[in-house]
Amino acid sequence: MTERPFRIAVAGSGIAGLAIAIALKNHPGVQVDLYERATQLREIGASIALGPNGMRTLDRLGVHNALVDLADDAANGLSFRNTSGYPMVYRHYKTGEVVSTDPSQADKGILKKHWTARYYRAHLQESLAAHVDPKRIHLSKTFAGVAWDDAKQELTLTFTDGTTAAADLLVGADGLHSRVRTFFVPQSRPQWTGALAFRSVFPRSHVAHIEGLPHEATHVWGHDRTLFFSPLGRDLYTVVGQLQYDPAEDSADQGGRDLKDTAKVWASNGSVETLRSLYADWGSLVKNIVNAVPHTELYPNSSSDSLPTWVLSGTTGNIPAGRVTLAGDAAHAHGGAFATGGSLALDDAWAFASAFQHVFPSTSKEAPKTADLLRAVKIYEKTRKAHTDRLLRVVHASNSARVESLRKSRQPGYFPETDEQLRVRIRSRTDPTWLHEHDVQATFAAAVKEIEQGLVVQSRL
Ligand SMILES: Cc1cc2nc3c(=O)[nH]c(=O)nc-3n(C[C@H](O)[C@H](O)[C@H](O)COP(=O)(O)OP(=O)(O)OC[C@H]3O[C@@H](n4cnc5c(N)ncnc54)[C@H](O)[C@@H]3O)c2cc1C
């Protein structure tokens, strides 16, 4: 065993940060410390979905407390799953008819415990935190910067309160607006896409009286906005309305100035009256649901381009390559598209931990050197980045298409989409299977082979 544990510092104790700590907690030579900006792991946020890939990773990490509610809809279980086996059902805004579904998970033979599940985000975070030693979660620690101490061969992290911490490796898992990412790549700051979500989570009792309320996660599409609703675990319910603004225009040019002006603040208070007015001409099912929503919060959607590399190093602080990387939204600021952020964060965490253990197995007597860490970060990057880059390309294309269609709708002579064209658009939507059923284990095995073989070839040259 090494003299002292190898110290991994993680900025952020969201889904990715907690999962990294869990994945490495049984490694006798490693200590993972989470430095979290929040003063406590609070109940903010709304619903979060995990697809089969995220559920399998939770299972692999041993987070069985998040999987235990195997009854199809245990009101007191931690999450909710559509009993039909269709992860999502799509309805028409006016008629309420089912136009399409995502492919059946039952038909594909996916284990029921791995079916797409929907959580109140705070519950998922709690279930992960239950597996992490609270002494290793340092609250009120906002990452500000990092430098390399050549004499001590270690990183020095600085926080906004003026304190510092030493570490051997840093993972930025500090979310969409990651300070770790912008410390190394300042131009990667996310931009508002113009999309704005009204997210609400409340007790199911508020909607229990609604006649014909589907008991499944449902996405209702209209011509220029959508509404998602679903039961969650622990007797909760969520409603999410989403609409699109033109991010390039002044708010004064587009009705809804009040919304756009607040749109850049994450989770600010929204008005239920505004939410109701947005769906006033939709069918009765949707109107009954939004009328029952007791409160709502506004979540602007932001994203940024994919990074050239996840191997962060360079002149800032003289950090050697292999000592800093990113995970979760910090690595791929995709703005939550396709409800895949939670699963991606879990898969990132598993892939990072696996790559790290590949170069530093728990039986190893010697701590990894910078060259070993660089190998680990390259394997991790190889496992994940092509996948998340593909997602970012899809996200940017669909964001641009939404803004473009908004602009077209304001031009003279514009023919509005017909209800039949809307049905066609719903049926021809992007198939998210490649995201929700991605096999991170197989991709990792291929990445190890490719990176290790590449290194062997290089060493022969
Ligand atoms: C409060 C909150 C509410 C959310 N609500 C939803 C939701 O309702 N639905 C949904 O789909 N997604 C939501 N998300 C995003 C979702 O959690 C992520 O998309 C996904 O789970 C990826 O997880 P992550 O760990 O990469 O990022 P996150 O879950 O965003 O975690 C990042 C963590 O880093 C911390 N942090 C940020 N900056 C710093 C810093 N400088 N130093 C130290 N710590 C820092 C944050 O406080 C947070 O705990 C929410 C995120 C947060 C933080």
Side-chain angles (χ1 to χ4, degrees), residues 11-17 35-38 44-48 121 125 141-143 173-175 179 199 266 299 327-329 341-342 345:
S13 64
I15 312 301
Y35 296 97
E36 166 58 46
R37 177 181 61 183
I44 41 174
S47 60
I48 192 162
R121 182 185 175 278
Q125 195 178 27
K141 290 288 168 201
T142 303
F143 171 87
D174 48 344
R179 173 71 185 126
R199 293 177 182 269
W266 176 246
Y299 288 77
D329 284 0

Side-chain angles (χ1 to χ4, degrees), residues 201-441:
V201 173
F202 49 85
R204 282 191 210 180
S205 54
H206 285 269
V207 288
H209 64 281
I210 296 173
E211 208 176 310
L213 181 73
H215 191 61
E216 52 193 357
T218 303
H219 209 191
V220 190
W221 284 32
H223 295 295
D224 62 353
R225 60 202 63 180
T226 61
L227 192 91
F228 166 75
F229 53 86
S230 174
L232 301 175
R234 302 257 166 91
D235 230 354
L236 293 174
Y237 204 84
T238 189
V239 174
V240 182
Q242 178 143 328
L243 69 154
Q244 182 70 42
Y245 287 99
D246 186 338
E249 279 185 15
D250 283 343
S251 53
D253 294 339
Q254 42 189 335
R257 170 202 293 262
D258 59 330
L259 294 181
K260 191 177 176 206
D261 287 348
T262 50
K264 291 170 190 167
V265 182
W266 176 246
S268 62
N269 280 339
S271 138
V272 281
E273 285 73 31
T274 308
L275 174 69
R276 287 169 194 160
S277 70
L278 289 168
Y279 296 92
D281 62 346
W282 282 35
S284 57
L285 174 66
V286 164
K287 278 198 289 201
N288 289 339
I289 292 172
V290 291
N291 285 341
V293 169
H295 54 80
T296 190
E297 287 179 327
L298 300 180
Y299 288 77
N301 178 290
S302 304
S303 67
S304 72
D305 291 336
S306 57
L307 292 167
T309 176
W310 293 2
V311 183
L312 301 182
S313 64
T315 49
T316 324
N318 292 322
I319 318 242
R323 295 279 172 172
V324 184
T325 191
L326 300 167
D329 284 0
H332 36 82
H334 63 285
F338 300 104
T340 191
S343 295
L344 289 176
L346 291 168
D347 280 356
D348 286 353
W350 182 86
F352 167 77
S354 301
F356 179 76
Q357 290 178 99
H358 177 74
V359 302
F360 187 34
S362 51
T363 48
S364 179
K365 302 264 182 297
E366 208 180 314
K369 309 272 184 303
T370 298
D372 302 316
L373 298 174
L374 179 57
R375 201 153 49 97
V377 174
K378 283 187 170 171
I379 291 171
Y380 164 56
E381 180 187 56
K382 188 92 211 154
T383 308
R384 301 298 294 153
K385 192 167 178 302
H387 182 64
T388 59
D389 282 356
R390 179 180 169 191
L391 169 64
L392 281 165
R393 283 194 298 277
V394 175
V395 165
H396 292 309
S398 78
N399 288 345
S400 305
R402 275 206 310 272
V403 172
E404 203 45 45
S405 116
L406 177 71
R407 288 176 185 162
K408 272 194 192 141
S409 72
R410 298 212 193 103
Q411 282 168 7
Y414 168 76
F415 288 105
E417 182 182 58
T418 63
D419 280 358
E420 194 42 40
Q421 283 167 333
L422 171 63
R423 288 186 184 90
V424 171
R425 188 158 60 85
I426 298 174
R427 288 192 198 103
S428 55
R429 72 193 178 282
T430 307
D431 179 356
T433 305
W434 66 276
L435 278 166
H436 299 316
E437 294 172 30
H438 177 72
D439 185 345
V440 67
Q441 277 184 306

